Amino acid sequence: MLVNGIWQENWQPVQAKDEQGRFIRQTSSFRNWVTPDGQPGPTGTGGFKAEAGRYRLYVAYICPWASRALMVLALKGLNEVIEVVVVNPRLTEQGWQFGGFPGADERDPSGARYMHELYTRADPNFTGRATVPVLWDKQTGTLVNNESADIMRMLNNAFSRIVNQGPDLYPPAMATEIDALNDTLYRELNNGVYQAGFASSQPAYEEAYAKVFACLDRLESRLSDGRAFLFGDGLTETDVRLFVTLVRFDAAYHGLFKCNRNILAAMPALHAYMQRILALDGIADTVRLDHIKAGYYSIKALNPGGIVPAGPGEL
Ligand SMILES: N[C@@H](CCC(=O)N[C@@H](CS)C(=O)NCC(=O)O)C(=O)O
């Protein structure tokens, strides 16, 4: 399809759609885990022991999936233990690029110009998207994991013998509830906004739009009872997953992705909740509105002229 054809060149996440024009996200392909002793984790092979200075996390501030990994890194006090490299927020015809945007790292420490070079270094036969986030092992020169859901879990506890800081974002006693709400949030909201934005048919868009706002309405009512976070007083990984979508909502999803029933600021409990998380130690540094706007509005299939909106100026 033409729409698909155009934006496969400029913005790659729409690599697949179903027969109704619904966007389908690619599954991640590197699934090894960093563990305290280097034993294999739930998937993949072993050999990736938690060590200070050994790993590097590649992120884009535009990207909610990368940002959720970066948020866990900050919450767990791992900034000195894991190096972070930030790519240019504007996806090029060769994917993510290093350098050329304020607040992005000018160079990749290992000398790559594009993210895809790291993928082929790790696997010369790799086929698929060169997505962020990427957790990279400097010692063996390979890609450990490119699935943010896994990276969040590793950063939550694999390094606790090196730095023991921050809340347990996935307490075993809450695993079932967390997994269930994560799953709903992903389908209806985190990925729902992308399904609205990248729908290639009117019914697919309307279906996604309805899902997004039904989910936001339920969350607004859940948070209206005065609780600080989704499950009460304690922050969990589900809050991190929700926050990354909320913080992009007014700047990108409301306009570009046509999720425009209302702005987030019109939902008082959700807006206050977002501000509460933004105020946590280290979190504001993971949110760059200039990268978010420049990145999303550089998606040519959705915004051919490339004009970046002036507002909102702040969150
Ligand atoms: N499953 C991945 C998804 C990551 C993802 O889709 N990242 C997007 C940016 S928001 C990306 O890098 N896209 C580049 C491309 O598809 O070429 C995760 O959650 O880690």
Side-chain angles (χ1 to χ4, degrees), residues 12-13 25 28 63-65 68 91 96 129 131-133 146-148 194:
Q12 316 294 334
R25 187 175 293 277
S28 302
C63 174
W65 322 104
R68 66 193 197 176
L91 202 64
W96 300 115
R129 310 286 159 192
T131 53
V132 285
N146 69 339
E147 172 48 58
S148 58
Y194 280 83

Side-chain angles (χ1 to χ4, degrees), residues 6 126 303:
I6 291 166
F126 179 78
N303 187 38

Side-chain angles (χ1 to χ4, degrees), residues 5-25:
I6 291 166
W7 72 263
Q8 278 202 344
E9 268 218 279
N10 297 309
W11 172 259
Q12 316 294 334
V14 187
Q15 69 277 18
K17 61 185 171 66
D18 70 10
E19 65 285 0
Q20 265 86 45
R22 297 188 189 97
F23 150 63
I24 300 170
R25 187 175 293 277

Side-chain angles (χ1 to χ4, degrees), residues 21-270:
R22 297 188 189 97
F23 150 63
I24 300 170
R25 187 175 293 277
Q26 167 188 291
T27 52
S28 302
S29 13
F30 293 89
R31 305 296 295 268
N32 301 316
W33 288 64
V34 174
T35 55
D37 49 10
Q39 288 302 303
T43 53
T45 55
F48 302 104
K49 183 176 191 285
E51 289 172 70
R54 175 167 169 182
Y55 300 96
R56 177 183 298 141
L57 183 67
Y58 288 96
V59 298
Y61 287 129
I62 172 201
C63 174
W65 322 104
S67 296
R68 66 193 197 176
L70 189 60
M71 280 177 74
V72 176
L73 186 142
L75 288 165
K76 302 301 284 191
L78 294 171
N79 298 72
E80 304 296 317
V81 171
I82 297 172
E83 184 185 9
V84 172
V85 173
V86 179
V87 301
N88 186 318
R90 290 183 292 229
L91 202 64
T92 72
E93 287 188 6
Q94 290 213 53
W96 300 115
Q97 185 180 18
F98 296 100
F101 197 90
D105 283 287
E106 226 12 80
R107 311 181 42 258
D108 167 39
S110 75
R113 287 178 57 214
Y114 297 99
M115 208 53 225
H116 67 73
E117 295 167 39
L118 297 168
Y119 275 76
T120 48
R121 243 183 247 172
D123 175 2
N125 299 314
F126 179 78
T127 45
R129 310 286 159 192
T131 53
V132 285
V134 155
L135 187 63
W136 183 260
D137 179 13
K138 300 191 240 179
Q139 194 179 91
T140 59
T142 200
L143 209 162
V144 181
N145 196 304
N146 69 339
E147 172 48 58
S148 58
D150 293 353
I151 299 173
M152 292 175 84
R153 297 242 165 119
M154 287 175 226
L155 300 187
N156 181 49
N157 53 28
F159 292 84
S160 54
R161 286 188 208 149
I162 300 168
V163 179
N164 193 3
Q165 196 182 304
D168 182 356
L169 298 166
Y170 189 58
M174 294 175 67
T176 311
E177 311 177 73
I178 289 178
D179 288 343
L181 190 53
N182 283 351
D183 187 54
T184 307
L185 276 184
Y186 176 79
R187 281 186 289 100
E188 298 182 355
L189 189 64
N190 303 132
N191 200 42
V193 292
Y194 280 83
Q195 289 186 312
F198 291 132
S200 53
S201 74
Q202 186 71 29
Y205 158 70
E206 286 177 14
E207 179 187 68
Y209 173 101
K211 238 176 13 182
V212 164
F213 283 100
C215 181
L216 287 176
D217 286 341
R218 270 188 281 112
L219 292 167
E220 175 71 11
S221 117
R222 180 177 180 132
L223 292 165
S224 296
D225 67 359
R227 67 181 80 195
F229 302 114
L230 286 168
F231 292 107
D233 290 339
L235 185 82
T236 67
E237 65 166 39
T238 317
D239 295 296
V240 174
R241 286 164 167 257
L242 174 54
F243 174 83
V244 293
T245 296
L246 298 182
V247 85
R248 286 163 178 73
F249 201 85
D250 292 353
Y253 305 149
H254 181 271
L256 189 73
F257 283 3
K258 306 186 191 82
C259 292
N260 58 359
R261 192 193 75 184
N262 55 262
I263 56 170
L264 190 80
M267 304 183 92
L270 270 170

